[in-house]
Amino acid sequence: MAGPLAPGLKKPLHIGLLDKVPCWLFELDESQTQEPSGCNWSEIRPSISLLDAEEWRAVACSLTLLWWRKNHRFCGSCGTETVEGTEERVLCCPNCGALFYPNQSPAVIVAVTKDDALLLAHNSHFHPEMHSILAGFVDPGETIEETVARELREEVGIEVKNIRYARSQPWPFPNSLMIGFHAEWQSGELKPDGVEIKFADWFTRDNLPALPRPGSIARMLIDEWADKR
Ligand SMILES: [Zn+2]
């Protein structure tokens, strides 16, 4: 980026190449509601349906770096204001030398089947009609397969078997990496925890409720199940 920054723009971050073109993250002042010249505002979550994997990678990288920079303005060890590293992407404490690299929080998401039906649940944070497969953050000390088993036990009271890794997707809300699985019901009746999960049931292919947006890992895992005959 050559030349002085326009008013309202903070220091940009280089996030990599997209189709061999350098991409930069610009953070605007919250007071700046006017679109910069030649740009359009776009809501981030709906855009996942419109972007390919490479474009989503750029969006996810940007949001995660923005979150990292905002949340490490001061050293968590001694409280001194951090400075950006010159040799690598890191925030450094000039007082105690602590380094803060961009980090991601792993979470699992799992499509559980029982005969020809799929487990879908309504989460209290969802839109009223929407149902999806279950997800949750990895606890310290857990393997990701253990997280899958624990989340299903805690949120809907079932045990699963044949937990198989399927795919992953950066999920920058604010800094997750979603790790997707397929699994099969083993035992237990569905008992939603009533806090996070308000409703859960088994749905067949001809009886599906409103689902997550195409492009999301949740929808990809659901579609993989639906396409399997
Ligand atoms: Zn420090």
Side-chain angles (χ1 to χ4, degrees):
M1 180 75 196
L5 297 178
L9 290 175
K10 297 179 183 173
K11 186 182 173 191
L13 274 171
H14 183 234
I15 56 168
L17 300 176
L18 185 60
D19 292 335
K20 300 180 182 170
V21 177
C23 290
W24 293 84
L25 166 65
F26 289 91
E27 185 181 354
L28 304 180
D29 277 337
E30 288 175 10
S31 61
Q32 183 164 347
T33 53
Q34 286 286 326
E35 290 168 340
S37 173
C39 301
N40 293 309
W41 295 123
S42 181
E43 269 192 74
I44 292 166
R45 283 174 189 260
S47 73
I48 197 170
S49 307
L50 308 172
L51 303 176
D52 64 27
E54 287 299 309
E55 292 165 335
W56 182 250
R57 187 202 313 276
V59 170
C61 178
S62 300
L63 290 177
T64 299
L65 290 181
L66 202 56
W67 181 88
W68 161 70
R69 194 158 72 169
K70 272 186 178 162
N71 285 275
H72 292 90
R73 287 176 53 213
F74 297 92
C75 174
S77 182
C78 75
T80 304
E81 193 166 357
T82 57
V83 294
E84 295 199 18
T86 53
E87 301 293 315
E88 55 183 348
R89 189 183 277 158
V90 65
L91 290 167
C92 316
C93 174
N95 181 49
C96 74
L99 300 175
F100 302 95
Y101 290 93
N103 61 325
Q104 287 184 293
S105 298
V108 301
I109 184 162
V110 54
V112 182
T113 54
K114 182 181 182 186
D115 300 325
D116 63 344
L118 178 72
L119 173 61
L120 292 169
H122 178 70
N123 186 303
S124 53
H125 304 299
F126 289 170
H127 291 296
E129 301 300 319
M130 201 186 87
H131 289 61
S132 186
I133 53 179
L134 292 177
F137 284 104
V138 179
D139 268 353
E142 274 184 333
T143 67
I144 49 181
E145 291 83 1
E146 287 168 345
T147 308
V148 168
R150 176 182 55 76
E151 284 289 336
L152 291 160
R153 195 178 300 127
E154 287 178 356
E155 294 191 345
V156 291
I158 63 168
E159 299 293 328
V160 292
K161 62 182 179 181
N162 296 336
I163 299 169
R164 303 178 307 282
Y165 170 77
R167 59 174 64 242
S168 65
Q169 185 177 55
W171 196 250
F173 307 107
N175 71 329
S176 289
L177 173 66
M178 275 294 177
I179 307 165
F181 293 86
H182 291 284
E184 294 167 31
W185 174 86
Q186 182 171 43
S187 63
E189 294 293 318
L190 291 175
K191 290 192 204 96
D193 65 10
V195 181
E196 193 170 341
I197 303 301
K198 296 293 184 190
F199 173 84
D201 207 349
W202 302 102
F203 290 83
T204 53
R205 291 173 177 81
D206 55 2
N207 184 31
L208 291 172
L211 297 174
R213 292 184 180 91
S216 64
I217 186 170
R219 184 59 177 269
M220 289 183 213
L221 292 168
I222 293 168
D223 287 347
E224 281 170 8
W225 161 78
D227 291 342
K228 218 183 280 174
R229 292 280 175 178

